[in-house]
Each structure stands twice: as C-alpha cells, then as structure tokens.
Amino acid sequence: MTVPAQWIDLIDPTPQQIDAELPDDLHETARKILLAPHEHDDEPRPRIETHDTYVLGILLVAVARK
C-alpha cells in the first residue's frame, strides 16, 4: 500500500510546535537539527536526509525585508 506524502512546513519551530506537528517517532537527531540556531556558514541548513519512514528537508528561503 502506498502512503501519500505529507508536507509539514515549519519556520523556526519551537519545541512545542515540533511536538504538536510532527510524529511521535521523530528521530532525536532530526529534532536537534530543527531546533538548531541559524548561523552563517553553519550546519544544519540546507540539508536533506532520511530517517526510517520520512525525509527531513531543511531548505533556505529568501525573505525580503524593508
């Protein structure tokens, strides 16, 4: 049986948002990556990796500010 893909879009998620939006079986490494601070020339952004039954993708998006 094929399970449809589900896109979960979180921007700078808090631990509470991660708990509410993502599956209970979220790998601890993925959780740490999602909560890591944004720093220039620093991992974990951008990246794509697999964890058992899901793919974790962290993408960069340009945001215009005035």
Side-chain angles (χ1 to χ4, degrees):
M1 178 171 83
T2 302
V3 177
Q6 179 183 9
W7 178 274
I8 301 172
D9 191 3
L10 297 173
I11 298 174
D12 299 329
T14 64
Q16 295 79 15
Q17 287 174 311
I18 290 173
D19 292 341
E21 298 291 331
L22 299 179
D24 292 336
D25 65 345
L26 179 67
H27 195 278
E28 187 59 31
T29 302
R31 183 182 180 80
K32 287 179 183 177
I33 290 167
L34 289 168
L35 293 173
H38 305 275
E39 295 181 14
H40 180 66
D41 292 333
D42 190 29
E43 288 292 335
R45 288 159 174 79
R47 80 186 309 145
I48 294 179
E49 58 187 44
T50 61
H51 290 273
D52 300 322
T53 59
Y54 60 91
V55 175
L56 171 67
I58 299 177
L59 309 173
L60 300 176
V61 178
V63 176
R65 296 186 181 187
K66 292 183 179 185

